[in-house]
Amino acid sequence: MDVAWVIRQRLDELGLEQRDLARAAAVTESYVSQLLTHKKAPPAPDRTEIYDRMDRFLKLPHGELARVAQAELKEERQRRHGEVEPLFPDLRALILRKCVPARLEPVRAIIERQSFGELERLVVQTLLRAARIDVDVLHVTPKQRARLDSAVTSWEWDPTTFALTVTLARAAVKRFEYAERTGSDDAQEKGLTEFLREPMLSGSATEEELALLKSLQFLDRRPTALYYYCELQNLRDPLHFRA
């Protein structure tokens, strides 16, 4: 998770535009655009004046973006030393414990590469939805985590279709589909761009692997950055990753 993701998420939820945020934060629209596309690093965590303005405009708790920026900076430092600590250790321990054993190893390999990455956020959001716990993924309290633990028996992720199947304590089974249909070249380009932009997903890919990923054609889905990452792992070890 990073500052850009949190801002994009809140803009989408509130139905706001980048120019609205730029005006509220007293910065240029170009600056916001570069920040959200990772072309410009986020302000230092101690730049509280800009983060405070953004927090208020995005209706986030006071100091939220500065906290995320601090976590992002810490993650980057740890990444250089080959270690990345989870942003929410207890929540991660819970979702990994609930993952079906057959899927646990490839899921753990993806999740542990980031402090709170795309797949981890997706799983937490889906489990909360299945358990009917109305809370943002960034603000799960210990009490809500305990409710989630009691409500969910297990979950399974299909890296091919991106479907999540959740088994609840009351024996109900819910399946959530996230593969977007009726794809387009623009949608494919967006997913590929996001994949290439995130070092934790594409940083280890060779030129040959990237060329093969760029040549993929999709007739019935809009591939996300995480989809390309899964395809990269499948290229390297299809039997292990699909198993």
Side-chain angles (χ1 to χ4, degrees), residues 180 183-184 187-192 218 221-228:
E180 300 179 71
S184 67
Q188 178 176 347
E189 181 65 24
K190 180 180 178 182
L192 181 60
F218 302 90
R221 75 170 68 240
R222 296 172 60 188
T224 64
L226 186 57
Y227 183 91
Y228 280 103

Side-chain angles (χ1 to χ4, degrees), residues 78-179:
Q78 291 171 334
R79 186 183 302 156
R80 294 170 185 169
H81 294 86
E83 299 176 357
V84 178
E85 293 182 1
L87 186 61
F88 305 110
D90 294 334
L91 191 57
R92 174 176 294 184
L94 170 62
I95 66 172
L96 289 178
R97 175 161 51 83
K98 296 290 184 177
C99 181
V100 296
R103 295 293 189 192
L104 180 58
E105 191 172 345
V107 165
R108 187 194 299 275
I110 296 175
I111 285 179
E112 291 185 346
R113 291 178 64 87
Q114 294 177 279
S115 63
F116 196 51
E118 186 176 9
L119 177 58
E120 189 171 6
R121 296 194 301 266
L122 176 67
V123 172
V124 173
Q125 182 180 24
T126 303
L127 296 186
L128 290 170
R129 179 181 171 190
R132 296 183 178 180
I133 300 174
D134 186 17
V135 63
D136 184 89
V137 294
L138 300 177
H139 303 99
V140 180
T141 66
K143 185 176 181 179
Q144 290 165 330
R145 191 172 63 244
R147 285 178 55 197
L148 188 64
D149 193 2
S150 299
V152 175
T153 300
S154 65
W155 64 273
E156 181 176 358
W157 175 58
D158 186 339
T160 304
T161 65
F162 274 56
L164 275 164
T165 303
V166 182
T167 303
L168 300 174
R170 58 179 182 271
V173 177
K174 295 186 177 182
R175 182 179 175 84
F176 298 84
E177 297 277 359
Y178 290 101

